Amino acid sequence: MRHSLCVVLLTVHETIMARLHVFRSLVSVIVDKHMVAHLLTYQCLFSVTNVICLIAAAIAAILGYRAFLHPLRKIPGPRLAALTSLWLTYHYYRGNWHEDILRLHDKYGPVVRIGPNEVAFVDAAATKQLYGHGKKAKKSRWYSTWSVPGRRLGVFAEQDPKIHSMLRKRVSAAYTMSSILKYETYIQSCIDLCLEKLRRHAAVGKVVNMS
């Protein structure tokens, strides 16, 4: 009887220990999974933080260069315009740029920085120096807006100096001072006719679609 009881107790003890071992194994696995999950989460957060820091540092470096080291840094103009082109885009979007640029020149003078890499000027000497005949200054991308898709190249919009020179030679004779003086009578009559029609529309308060 005692022998049977001992066998039963040993069997129960072994069963309990075996189940405890299984329970401990399950707990360790769950804990390991949680630890791995926490480590992965930490690594992801660390990676995202690094990316954000790198982007912030790059932006700060670009803004610092444009404000303090850029070749155009000494040209007067709105501080925000020197840092980002969004300032110019916003004023274009408002639709009053033709008025805004005049106010800028009234405030800052004949030469104004209107973008990180853009300068506006209303100076005859500067215009001649940049765009005069024989000068090598290349026109900006702004002139692309005057190019008509599917049409031949135009003298005004052409940005390549060599092509512009070739096109200019074709029409240079028509724009000499002597030729212009000959056309003055015809040009003036067309201008007078246009103004007269505009006056008629203005007299009756009619809107004219100039496009």
Side-chain angles (χ1 to χ4, degrees), residues 8-145:
V8 171
L9 290 175
L10 286 172
T11 303
V12 171
H13 180 266
E14 289 176 356
T15 303
I16 292 173
M17 293 301 295
R19 291 183 177 179
L20 283 173
H21 178 72
V22 172
F23 177 74
R24 288 173 181 172
S25 299
L26 290 173
V27 170
S28 65
V29 169
I30 293 172
V31 170
D32 289 341
K33 286 184 177 180
H34 281 293
M35 290 179 65
V36 171
H38 283 301
L39 286 173
L40 289 174
T41 303
Y42 175 76
Q43 289 178 353
C44 290
L45 290 175
F46 185 71
S47 299
V48 171
T49 303
N50 282 347
V51 171
I52 293 174
C53 291
L54 287 174
I55 293 174
I59 293 174
I62 292 172
L63 296 179
Y65 170 76
R66 290 175 175 177
F68 304 109
L69 300 174
H70 197 280
L72 303 179
R73 65 187 180 278
K74 294 183 180 181
I75 296 178
R79 175 58 63 183
L80 191 58
L83 299 178
T84 173
S85 297
L86 293 176
W87 179 90
L88 186 58
T89 302
Y90 167 73
H91 283 273
Y92 280 158
Y93 175 77
R94 289 179 57 196
N96 298 319
W97 179 243
H98 58 289
E99 298 176 355
D100 296 337
I101 189 64
L102 293 178
R103 283 194 291 267
L104 288 173
H105 283 297
D106 289 339
K107 181 177 181 179
Y108 295 104
V111 182
V112 182
R113 187 180 183 185
I114 59 174
N117 302 305
E118 291 189 56
V119 174
F121 55 87
V122 286
D123 183 78
T127 303
K128 188 175 182 180
Q129 182 67 25
L130 288 172
Y131 298 124
H133 180 57
K135 303 301 180 181
K136 296 182 179 180
K138 190 174 180 179
K139 292 181 178 179
S140 68
R141 290 179 298 175
W142 177 84
Y143 286 87
S144 299
T145 58

Side-chain angles (χ1 to χ4, degrees), residues 115-206:
N117 302 305
E118 291 189 56
V119 174
F121 55 87
V122 286
D123 183 78
T127 303
K128 188 175 182 180
Q129 182 67 25
L130 288 172
Y131 298 124
H133 180 57
K135 303 301 180 181
K136 296 182 179 180
K138 190 174 180 179
K139 292 181 178 179
S140 68
R141 290 179 298 175
W142 177 84
Y143 286 87
S144 299
T145 58
W146 298 93
S147 296
V148 180
R151 300 291 297 274
R152 292 183 177 180
L153 300 174
V155 179
F156 182 74
E158 181 53 49
Q159 299 172 48
D160 189 302
K162 293 183 179 179
I163 298 177
H164 180 271
S165 177
M166 181 266 293
L167 295 173
R168 184 178 182 278
K169 289 178 181 178
R170 294 179 179 179
V171 297
S172 58
Y175 290 96
T176 60
M177 184 56 67
S178 58
S179 298
I180 292 175
L181 291 176
K182 291 178 181 178
Y183 304 144
E184 183 177 7
T185 303
Y186 306 105
I187 295 173
Q188 189 61 52
S189 62
C190 292
I191 294 174
D192 293 339
L193 179 60
C194 179
L195 292 175
E196 179 59 30
K197 289 187 175 183
L198 289 176
R199 291 191 189 97
R200 292 177 186 175
H201 289 300
V204 296
K206 186 178 179 179

